[in-house]
Structure formats: structure tokens, C-alpha cells
Amino acid sequence: MPDSPVRYSADVEDVKPDEGQTIEGLCRTFDTILERTAEDYGHAVRSVHAKAHGILEGTMTIAAGLPPELAQGLFAVPGEHRVYLRLSTNAGDLLPDAVSLPRGLALKVLDAPGARLEGAEGTSQDFIMVNAPSFQAKTAEAFHGSLKLLAKTTDRAESLKVAASTVLRGVNKALQAVGVESTTLGSLGGAPNVDPLGETYYSVTPFRYGDHIAKFSLAPVAPALRALTGREIDASGRPDAIRETVQSEMRDIEAVWAFRVQLCRDLERQPVEDPTVVWNEEEAPFHTVATITVRPQDSWDAGRVAAVDEGMRFGVWTGLAAHRPLGNINRARNAPYRHSADFRQRFNGCPIHEPTGQGPIGQVRDGVV
């Protein structure tokens, strides 16, 4: 394995001629989910990761003295940035928490200096992560096929989904007992119903990292968070059990995560175009480049929820050119995610803003939070 990381160049991506058709299909399928849920709820929600379990405000502290290969893009200059975190699960409908699904964490870093990606509004850098190191589909076309199946059951038969989730969790635990991990079962409702505050999150897809290529991860380091790792939440009869649990825990703990970077060192063993491949940490180790600290707070504060959950969007294409999303799954995430945000904005009559400045959270005025 080479000692030095792979240098970024445009030819690390392999753009297929039919990707535009797949992206159009994804937008149509997103519309199916968006229109059905908006009609049923009377309010538009996100087409994926619709249900939030906590909205947090904190500080990212970028480490000083990083080696050149890690001092790239946003992380080239040490200092502090205000951040928002949104904890969620991955369904496009607002399911009771007894349907246990993979966890998601969206991170928005404010006031990120540097050249922007084309069409990236504001001055923030977004990172989108889930609590698994790989994506469930190799290509955007395969992901679209799975999404079409899920769209058919969106906002339908909640009681059946709860029952099925119970069965799938049991199957998944049996597989794990013999050393088999199933991301497919997890995405269908068989994921362990774990506390999101104790989880480690991964970008699963690669990104440009200045001169290099990387995946990202957020790992709990505060003892109070690590004590929650793997702890399951009993959601029986409690449709918002996860939200309630996070709210209770965040009143008393100071949460600290390590923001980590995994540099690509071999394009064959750490491919750009196949996010189902886990980059072996022994060959491509993670390195901490920043910490995120969230002090005790109300994780479901009404003002913060309105400002962040309703008034903002999170997307991998909101950010710096130095952190350009790479690979076919990332290329397919651009237009559909904007499409989803535009639908929410139109249906709800609520403008979606990129935050700027350092004002108190919960105050939205002319795009300033």
C-alpha cells in the first residue's frame, strides 16, 4: 500500500452517458414520495431522512499543526466554526420509532471560506453521514430501483411496518451472531434501534479533499457519548421515543465527537465509483482533523427546530470546491435533493435559507439565523 495518498484529478471519476436519465428518474420517484406524504400530512417533509430526532447547535474546532496532506480545504486553517447537527432516520415518511431504521447525521459548518461548488448557495459546508461504513447500492441506477420499491409503501400500513421491523431485527441479530452484517435488512427496518448519540457516522461516499480524495467520519469521543454506543431504545408504544431519549440525555451531557478523514491511498482498493466497498482502515486509516462540541441544551427547542429542520436544507453539494462530491452516487444526489428542498419550500410556503453570521439560533431574518 502506497505511503502517500492519491492525488485528486478529474479523471478519478467515470461518468456514464446514461446518468442523466437515472437522475431524472430519481426526481420523479422523489416526487411520488413528496406528494404522497405532503397530501397525507398537510405539510411537506424531506423525501429521505424525513424524521428528525434532534437538532443541535455546537462548535467545530479545527486542529492546529495538521500535516500538509490533512490541512486541506476547510481544514487548512485552524479555528472554530459554528455548526448545526440534525439526527434522523432514513425513511421518507414519519414512522413511529418502533420501525427501526439506520441513523443519519447531517452536519452544517458555517462560514467555510473558499471557492464554492457550482450552484452552492451561502457560505456553509455540509456533510451527510449514516451509521454504517458503506452504501447499500453500487450505482445510482441500483439505488433508484430500491427507492422505487420503497416509494410504493411510503406512508402506508404503519402497523405492518412495525411488525415487520420486529421480525427483521430478530433476523439481523441472528445473522450478526454468526458474523454476517446485512445493510439490506437494516434499510428495510431490521437495524438495531440504537441511541443515535452513541453511533459512529460515515460519509460512505468519497469526496475531494483538496489535493487528495477522502471519506469522512464522525465518532463519539466524550465518555458520556461512548457510554451510549450500542444502547438500544425501547420504542414500544412511544412513537417519538428516540427524540424523547435524545432530548433527555442532551439536557445534562456535553457531547464531543471527532471529525475524521480517511485518505484514499489506492484507487483499486479504495474505489471512487463503488460506495459498497468499505475502505479498509488498516490500509487507509482515519485521522482526526477537528472536534465537534455540543454543550447541554434542549435538542428539540421549538425555535431551533423551526430554523434548522424547517428552514434549512442539507446536501453534499452545498460546500467548497475543495470538497467536491465524487462518484456516481454523489453525482446523482445533486438535482434530486435540490428538487426535494424546492418542493418543501413551495408546498409549505416557507423559504429555505443558508445560514450566515453569528446571531442567536432560532432567529431567521433575511436568510440570517
Side-chain angles (χ1 to χ4, degrees):
M1 185 65 56
D3 291 333
S4 56
V6 173
R7 291 191 68 84
Y8 168 78
S9 65
D11 60 8
V12 300
E13 294 189 274
D14 181 18
V15 182
K16 303 298 184 184
D18 61 348
E19 288 186 7
Q21 294 175 320
T22 300
I23 291 169
E24 290 176 5
L26 281 166
C27 288
R28 288 194 296 270
T29 304
F30 272 26
D31 273 340
T32 300
I33 297 171
L34 290 163
E35 290 167 5
R36 180 171 296 154
T37 54
E39 179 182 353
D40 289 351
Y41 305 150
H43 185 82
V45 297
R46 289 167 170 82
S47 51
V48 290
H49 289 272
K51 188 172 186 178
H53 304 302
I55 305 294
L56 302 171
E57 175 191 3
T59 302
M60 171 183 274
T61 303
I62 297 173
L66 293 172
E69 64 185 27
L70 296 177
Q72 300 283 328
L74 173 66
F75 306 93
V77 179
E80 293 188 347
H81 296 263
R82 187 181 182 195
V83 298
Y84 306 135
L85 301 90
R86 180 181 187 267
L87 302 167
S88 65
T89 49
N90 68 353
D93 44 358
L94 303 176
L95 296 169
D97 290 347
V99 181
S100 54
L101 295 162
R103 307 292 186 236
L105 187 150
L107 171 67
K108 187 178 289 289
V109 184
L110 272 62
D111 299 322
R116 307 286 292 168
L117 289 161
E118 183 179 356
E121 306 92 344
T123 59
S124 299
Q125 174 65 51
D126 288 2
F127 298 96
I128 311 296
M129 304 185 193
V130 294
N131 64 331
S134 64
F135 198 66
Q136 72 267 28
K138 182 175 181 177
T139 64
E141 186 177 12
F143 172 62
H144 184 214
S146 300
L147 191 68
K148 285 191 289 187
L149 292 175
L150 291 176
K152 293 179 180 179
T153 64
T154 295
D155 210 30
R156 302 266 176 95
E158 285 188 2
S159 60
L160 291 178
K161 290 180 182 179
V162 171
S165 181
T166 302
V167 173
L168 289 171
R169 280 200 303 274
V171 173
N172 216 5
K173 285 183 178 178
L175 289 174
Q176 290 170 353
V178 294
V180 177
E181 295 285 341
S182 176
T183 56
T184 300
L185 286 182
S187 67
L188 294 174
N193 216 355
V194 291
D195 190 322
L197 290 175
E199 291 296 281
T200 296
Y201 294 89
Y202 302 86
S203 68
V204 305
T205 53
F207 294 79
R208 181 176 180 179
Y209 192 69
D211 294 334
H212 306 296
I213 301 161
K215 290 184 178 181
F216 306 119
S217 173
L218 201 65
V221 293
L225 291 185
R226 293 174 66 86
L228 302 175
T229 299
R231 179 178 294 181
E232 296 197 29
I233 296 172
D234 182 3
S236 304
R238 299 168 59 206
D240 297 321
I242 303 170
R243 183 180 300 165
E244 294 164 2
T245 299
V246 170
Q247 189 175 31
S248 174
E249 291 165 344
M250 282 306 306
R251 288 194 183 105
D252 301 315
I253 66 174
E254 180 169 279
V256 183
W257 290 268
F259 188 99
R260 309 182 303 168
V261 171
Q262 185 182 32
L263 295 175
C264 174
R265 297 182 182 277
D266 184 323
L267 287 170
E268 292 295 322
R269 300 178 68 83
Q270 294 119 37
V272 165
E273 294 289 351
D274 185 355
T276 65
V277 175
V278 177
W279 292 7
N280 188 307
E281 292 186 37
E282 292 184 2
E283 299 173 352
F286 279 104
H287 298 279
T288 297
V289 295
T291 56
I292 291 175
T293 302
V294 175
R295 300 192 182 281
Q297 60 190 256
D298 181 358
S299 61
W300 204 248
D301 173 79
R304 188 184 297 118
V305 169
V308 179
D309 201 41
E310 293 293 336
M312 294 184 198
R313 62 181 292 272
F314 293 84
V316 295
W317 287 89
T318 297
L320 302 175
H323 299 309
R324 180 182 180 84
L326 303 176
N328 71 95
I329 292 292
N330 272 338
R331 292 192 295 274
R333 293 164 93 179
N334 194 358
Y337 281 46
R338 292 179 182 276
H339 188 76
S340 174
D342 289 345
F343 181 93
R344 284 198 296 130
Q345 183 170 255
R346 288 195 308 273
F347 191 94
N348 296 336
C350 175
I352 292 177
H353 298 296
E354 277 300 312
T356 59
Q358 298 296 324
I361 196 163
Q363 297 181 5
V364 181
R365 185 180 67 255
D366 298 330
V368 177
V369 178

